[in-house]
Amino acid sequence: MKPEDVKPASIAAQALGWIDDQSKAIVAPLHTSTTYIRDPDNQYRTGRTYARDHNPSFDQPEAVLTALERGHASLLFSSGMAAATAVFQALTPGDHVVAPKVMYWSLRNWLMNFATHWGLRVEFIDMGNAAEVERAVRPGATKLVWIESPANPLWTITDIAHAAEVAHRAGAIVAVDSTIASPVLSQPLTLGADIVMHAATKYLNGHSDVVAGTLTTREDSALWQRIRSIRAQLGGIAGPFEAWLLTRGMRTLFVRVRAACASAQSMAEHFAQHPRIEKVLYPGLPDFPGHAIAKRQMHGGFGGMLSICVRGSGSRSGEQAAIATAANVRLWKRATSLGGVESLVEHRASVEGAGTPAPSNLLRLSVGIEDTGDLIADLEQALEQ
Ligand SMILES: Cc1ncc(COP(=O)(O)O)c(C=O)c1O
């Protein structure tokens, strides 16, 4: 079998099949050293000088991700936020940026409260609307179009290929937060994106025990080198143990994501008909706006994330009903975050506060890999109470 014929699921399961040179171990050792020996003639032939930039613990997870995303190179960061903000910090004050109104709220807050302060001109638009993308991108002025697809917490789908075409025509680049899709379902670089970002804290690691982030680039560029320097200079790097755990987590990425997708699809279809539910938001439902685009750019499922809008009844508002439903789950865990093996439920408006696009009766569901029937039954009993 030729190396280029190996399927992504096999690449992930074997973490590229790396063998440790010295011990012949099939699991890489953990490198905790912060520094590396200099040759007697004053050279650094290994290319490694200091762990803030050249940590061998990053080599394997970065290489696995580069292969899965079909990119040129990857960088591992201390968190998804560290990875995402490095892209914006690599721009120049005055640059125009187009970003979605519906996106991970903490990054939206940072863009509104810090990036604009620093001089970026950030324009928030409905990224699910192709005409708005065309209107907002300004030739010569726009330097970056930031996409999240599907986007938290309404799961808005952006047509990545179309946005890339519009951005490139205007001289801008496209970066995609693909945390929710994961490399199992979507490879934004093959759709024309320039950079793909993951909160590796979520599906890539998958076990709710690592905070990390990643960027992968389609090609080497001056911008990519600036991002590399930002990581080295600001030091937003993952620890060696986190990097090691992330490689271990990615070995099971495909089975976890496929199981979560199948379960989420069944749950979305089940609860779409439920009398206590006003609306189910899930890209896998045929009447979901963006379903046709999702079908084109996601393969093998529509993700493990969905939201339900709970109906009020009698004197109880939809918001009260949603919070009461979350209070009554037994198997689901009432917690923030997503992409782990355990299913989580969260009243999103309570987390995001003012300015959230989440309706007050919305519960965000991160579907794990438990038995689908158990998950449905638990939510059913919580809705009944
Ligand atoms: C879609 C998305 N992007 C980015 C982030 C930020 O990642 P981290 O929490 O690792 O900084 C999150 C975290 O919830 C997320 O859901």
Side-chain angles (χ1 to χ4, degrees), residues 6-26:
V6 176
K7 302 281 187 303
S10 309
I11 291 173
Q14 296 198 356
L16 277 171
W18 282 21
I19 308 293
D20 178 50
D21 270 351
Q22 279 192 342
S23 65
K24 303 300 170 201
I26 64 165

Side-chain angles (χ1 to χ4, degrees), residues 279-363:
K279 199 167 23 167
V280 174
L281 302 175
Y282 185 63
L285 292 176
D287 62 351
F288 182 83
H291 172 71
I293 298 164
K295 219 168 150 177
R296 223 172 42 230
Q297 67 188 26
M298 297 174 82
H299 306 286
F302 297 91
M305 297 302 299
L306 69 150
S307 295
I308 54 173
C309 296
V310 184
R311 214 184 278 286
S313 64
S315 61
R316 198 159 76 158
S317 68
E319 179 177 11
Q320 288 167 330
I323 291 171
T325 302
N328 286 313
V329 292
R330 294 177 191 143
L331 183 64
W332 290 77
K333 297 288 170 271
R334 218 170 17 261
T336 196
S337 201
L338 58 98
V341 289
E342 63 288 296
S343 295
L344 306 179
V345 55
E346 178 172 56
H347 181 248
R348 199 61 196 161
S350 298
V351 175
E352 299 195 10
T356 178
S360 60
N361 63 343
L362 180 145
L363 289 178

Side-chain angles (χ1 to χ4, degrees), residues 78-82 84 104 107 148 150 152 177 179-180 197-202 211-213 337-338 348 364:
S78 55
S79 68
M81 280 298 286
Y104 174 57
L107 184 58
E148 182 177 322
N152 255 300
D177 180 342
T179 298
I180 306 303
M197 176 249 149
H198 288 282
T201 314
K202 318 298 175 185
V211 176
S337 201
L338 58 98
R348 199 61 196 161
R364 188 181 84 172

Side-chain angles (χ1 to χ4, degrees), residues 55-210:
N55 197 322
S57 307
F58 300 167
D59 295 355
Q60 195 174 16
E62 287 178 351
V64 170
L65 194 61
T66 301
L68 297 182
E69 289 290 2
R70 323 240 212 297
H72 164 74
S74 298
L75 287 169
L76 178 58
F77 289 81
S78 55
S79 68
M81 280 298 286
T85 54
V87 178
F88 293 96
Q89 289 176 87
L91 300 177
T92 305
D95 285 350
H96 180 249
V97 171
V98 177
K101 280 184 188 156
V102 178
M103 67 186 294
Y104 174 57
W105 74 292
S106 207
L107 184 58
R108 188 181 67 230
N109 281 352
W110 183 84
L111 288 173
M112 286 194 303
N113 300 317
F114 184 90
T116 46
H117 221 62
W118 181 64
L120 289 184
R121 291 178 295 145
V122 189
E123 187 173 343
F124 294 94
I125 67 160
D126 174 3
M127 225 21 118
N129 180 338
E132 268 217 44
V133 177
E134 286 170 23
R135 183 203 54 75
V137 174
R138 303 183 209 156
T142 308
K143 296 295 181 230
L144 170 68
V145 176
W146 183 267
I147 292 171
E148 182 177 322
S149 187
N152 255 300
L154 309 181
W155 318 117
T156 312
I157 299 291
T158 298
D159 186 336
I160 297 170
H162 172 259
E165 202 185 300
V166 174
H168 291 161
R169 224 184 299 135
I173 65 149
V174 169
V176 180
D177 180 342
S178 195
T179 298
I180 306 303
S182 89
V184 177
L185 307 176
S186 194
Q187 296 84 38
L189 302 181
T190 65
L191 298 168
D194 302 277
I195 291 176
V196 57
M197 176 249 149
H198 288 282
T201 314
K202 318 298 175 185
Y203 289 102
L204 292 185
N205 180 62
H207 293 76
S208 308
D209 52 11
V210 166

